[in-house]
Amino acid sequence: LHAVGDYMGKPMGYGGSEDSPVSRDWTSKEYSPGGKCIDTNKPFSVAVSFPTDEQGNLRAFELELSQQDKPCTVKASITEYSWGWPPPRKNGWGELTKALQMGMTPVMSYWSSPTMLWMDGLGEDGRGPCVKDNPSQCPEYVRWYNFSLEDYRARTTSKW
């Protein structure tokens, strides 16, 4: 997530390095080529949700990746977003709420570069996905399909 003026943003998922905050909501054991939950060599589903309260204020930003025939999913959630230095910190959540209420266009992109370690490098904890960028290993294109927009419905957890 990025509010206007916040070049660092609030990360989630699996990445972040150099000047970016490290994000480790899952690891390469769960999400990678041959991963336990998401095998990145095969198609997988992405669900992004923006639940709001009764007044329409953003409550969270939720992400869930799932894949057919896999025993698990990977999930991440952001429930607060303040930014800025020096204090006082700015309320990024309020700014994002206003932007969402005004309407947005979903945008997806796919790109590679020999200088992507800022996003997917080892990070200060040494546990990130990439030691070196190698754009020649990236496929020429990817496909997005079955794209839809729908009203948010809270997910219920099924009991085994």
Side-chain angles (χ1 to χ4, degrees):
L1 295 176
H2 286 272
V4 173
D6 179 14
Y7 77 96
M8 295 297 278
K10 178 100 174 178
M12 64 189 318
Y14 177 46
S17 191
E18 293 182 5
D19 291 338
S20 302
V22 171
S23 183
R24 301 285 183 260
D25 294 303
W26 50 79
T27 69
S28 61
K29 289 178 183 173
E30 295 88 26
Y31 177 88
S32 64
K36 176 183 175 186
C37 304
I38 304 295
D39 179 347
T40 56
N41 287 321
K42 299 178 181 177
F44 58 92
S45 296
V46 178
V48 178
S49 302
F50 304 92
T52 59
D53 63 19
E54 297 78 28
Q55 289 78 41
N57 297 308
L58 189 62
R59 278 192 355 230
F61 178 85
E62 300 172 345
L63 173 69
E64 181 175 10
L65 309 180
S66 60
Q67 193 167 50
Q68 191 171 359
D69 299 326
K70 287 293 189 171
C72 48
T73 64
V74 293
K75 300 177 186 180
S77 178
I78 296 173
T79 58
E80 67 83 26
Y81 174 40
S82 297
W83 68 278
W85 190 259
R89 295 176 58 82
K90 296 172 180 69
N91 178 5
W93 222 228
E95 185 177 325
L96 289 172
T97 292
K98 288 178 188 173
L100 286 166
Q101 288 172 341
M102 289 174 31
M104 291 189 172
T105 301
V107 176
M108 298 172 279
S109 66
Y110 174 75
W111 46 285
S112 64
S113 164
T115 58
M116 295 285 292
L117 293 178
W118 62 269
M119 184 172 77
D120 60 5
L122 290 178
E124 57 191 38
D125 65 357
R127 296 174 44 219
C130 298
V131 174
K132 178 184 176 193
D133 286 318
N134 189 349
S136 65
Q137 289 185 336
C138 298
E140 192 173 312
Y141 63 90
V142 295
R143 293 181 203 169
W144 283 280
Y145 48 92
N146 296 337
F147 184 84
S148 66
L149 295 173
E150 55 189 65
D151 287 337
Y152 176 80
R153 290 181 302 251
R155 295 181 185 257
T156 57
T157 305
S158 61
K159 295 183 181 179
W160 298 96

